[in-house]
Amino acid sequence: MSTVVVIGGGYGGSAVAKALDAEADVVLVEPRDAFVNAAGSLRALTRPDWAGNLFFPYDALLTRGRVVRDRAVSVDPRGVTLASGERIEADHLVLATGSSYTYPGKPSAESTADALDDLRRTHKELADAGHVLIAGAGPVGLELAGEIKEVWPDKRVTVVDPGAELMPGFLPQMREELHKALAERDIEVRLGTSVTPSVEPGRLNTFTAGDITADIWFRAHGVRINSGYLADGRLTTPGPRGTVAVTSGLNVVGYDHVYALGDLADLPEAKMAGYAMQHAEVVAANISARLRGEEPTATYDPAPHPMILLPLGSRGGVGQFPSPDGPFVVPVETVVEYKGADLFTGRFAAQFGIER
Ligand SMILES: Cc1cc2nc3c(=O)[nH]c(=O)nc-3n(C[C@H](O)[C@H](O)[C@H](O)COP(=O)(O)OP(=O)(O)OC[C@H]3O[C@@H](n4cnc5c(N)ncnc54)[C@H](O)[C@@H]3O)c2cc1C
């Protein structure tokens, strides 16, 4: 049987690994002990009793294949070298190492136990803060503000952003609804404002930044693409933002048997889990075709219009979906049903074979 090595077990990588488990010898390389559903990170911070839902152990993901708990340090067309020194040869390679995000957006600790300790410690500090400052008014900063206000409606929350408007590029109606929903929750938004407090983020510590005095702050910007293991240039050279050039079939340019997907792939669309999972379907279909000795035919067309589900707590929020007739605003009930109520926990419980 052919060996398919998937590097990175995030949204895209774990889906490819599972899809090909019955057809190939799948090896999933991943330093974490559990898949992290980043969409749940902010609720995991505000509700320690819910925080365990963020993590999905890899134990039951694959039936035939294996998960190697290690980190890729170098990749070449024949296989991958791991931090432990182990070498794994591959017939097909999938690069799915995604991105890192400032804690608490994605945990920095690699073990579930350590990541839960971090979240509980930060929750304690946040609980004691009167005024919370969030730097960054993208979806992560606004969702964090919404989760904080749902648990502590009386806490003062200020979100600052250097940009001139909220969620540029989305429909004016959705953006108006967003402003209204934020105002209803008494979430203060200061646009055209950039601050980086000199104290450590996520720690109770009263500080003044510009004309804002607050007791704790969180950074909600700064996606970093994980492609350091490609820096030796033995396979390909990432672009200036760390992403990897791919063909329409999501092959790494120059290789029929190597693929890149998710946040790592250089595609003209937002970096989103939803897209990473669509990429995974294309990659799995193309590898599956090759395993059967056929020419791969699946291709990926980047989404022409942006989409978003932006919950503000478990019962509110705004959203926009694409359609062949153009993008449209979805009602709050859709935001709650598709995302806000459980932040995709049910969907991943099924994928990872876990009862929740
Ligand atoms: C707070 C927050 C909320 C979000 N909410 C949403 C949402 O609601 N909807 C949405 O569509 N998107 C959301 N996103 C964006 C989404 O998380 C990313 O687009 C998504 O994680 C990308 O998936 P991926 O499969 O490319 O990689 P990732 O999910 O980033 O997974 C990459 C995996 O590779 C592993 N890895 C890294 N380096 C190596 C290495 N050298 N060797 C082996 N393994 C390695 C990592 O440990 C990780 O498990 C959110 C992001 C944040 C921060």
Side-chain angles (χ1 to χ4, degrees):
M1 247 196 194
S2 297
T3 301
V4 177
V5 177
V6 181
I7 306 174
Y11 292 95
S14 57
V16 171
K18 190 172 177 74
L20 296 174
D21 192 31
E23 300 171 58
D25 287 331
V26 172
V27 183
L28 176 62
V29 177
E30 168 60 56
R32 294 187 184 277
D33 60 1
F35 164 73
V36 172
N37 172 27
S41 302
L42 311 169
R43 190 165 300 167
L45 172 65
T46 58
R47 299 191 196 179
D49 54 330
W50 190 88
N53 287 319
L54 186 59
F55 304 96
F56 296 84
Y58 289 108
D59 312 349
L61 177 70
L62 304 178
T63 308
R64 298 185 54 258
R66 63 188 175 111
V67 181
V68 176
R69 192 169 172 204
D70 206 338
R71 172 178 292 282
V73 291
S74 177
V75 178
D76 59 73
R78 288 181 298 106
V80 52
T81 305
L82 307 181
S84 61
E86 188 186 345
R87 167 88 191 159
I88 305 175
E89 302 289 330
D91 298 304
H92 305 268
L93 257 174
V94 182
L95 312 183
T97 45
S99 61
S100 304
Y101 197 96
T102 324
Y103 170 80
K106 286 184 177 178
S108 27
E110 285 176 353
S111 86
T112 300
D114 290 349
L116 281 169
D117 281 350
D118 287 346
L119 287 163
R120 288 192 189 111
R121 194 201 63 232
T122 313
H123 174 270
K124 232 167 142 250
E125 311 237 347
L126 174 58
D128 289 337
H131 184 185
V132 184
L133 172 69
I134 298 169
V140 175
L142 297 177
E143 286 189 37
L144 176 57
E147 294 292 339
I148 292 173
K149 276 291 192 177
E150 186 162 277
V151 175
W152 297 282
D154 297 333
K155 235 183 242 312
R156 186 170 166 204
V157 177
T158 304
V159 189
V160 299
D161 196 285
E165 54 186 29
L166 283 185
M167 305 300 293
F170 285 87
L171 292 171
Q173 185 197 337
M174 193 205 85
R175 294 169 41 225
E176 271 165 39
E177 286 182 12
L178 177 59
H179 277 282
K180 200 163 151 256
L182 292 166
E184 278 166 9
R185 286 162 181 75
D186 202 16
I187 295 169
E188 191 187 337
V189 179
R190 304 242 320 239
L191 297 170
T193 306
S194 176
V195 292
T196 306
S198 53
V199 300
E200 198 186 337
R203 295 274 182 184
L204 189 65
N205 190 348
T206 303
F207 61 89
T208 301
D211 62 348
I212 299 169
T213 299
D215 305 309
I216 195 167
W217 76 286
F218 295 98
R219 195 190 303 270
H221 58 85
V223 174
R224 294 177 309 283
I225 305 298
N226 296 322
S227 55
Y229 62 98
L230 297 170
D232 59 14
R234 296 179 71 199
L235 181 79
T236 186
T237 307
R241 291 180 309 128
T243 50
V244 169
V246 289
T247 65
S248 60
L250 300 180
N251 288 96
V252 173
V253 170
Y255 303 99
D256 284 344
H257 70 299
V258 185
Y259 299 79
L261 55 68
D263 286 3
L264 180 69
D266 186 16
L267 291 166
E269 62 187 9
K271 299 295 181 201
M272 286 179 59
Y275 298 146
M277 291 185 285
Q278 290 176 28
H279 305 166
E281 286 179 21
V282 171
V283 170
N286 285 340
I287 294 179
S288 185
R290 287 225 180 263
L291 293 171
R292 294 190 305 272
E294 297 166 12
E295 264 310 296
T297 54
T299 56
Y300 181 76
D301 293 319
H305 301 292
M307 70 158 291
I308 191 138
L309 289 170
L310 199 167
L312 293 171
S314 63
R315 297 181 295 271
V318 298
Q320 174 180 317
F321 279 171
S323 86
D325 303 326
F328 63 98
V329 173
V330 297
V332 62
E333 292 77 17
T334 305
V335 180
V336 170
E337 184 191 336
Y338 281 57
K339 181 173 171 188
D342 85 336
L343 300 173
F344 311 130
T345 302
R347 169 186 185 141
F348 291 111
Q351 179 173 330
F352 284 85
I354 288 163
E355 298 263 332
R356 284 257 155 94

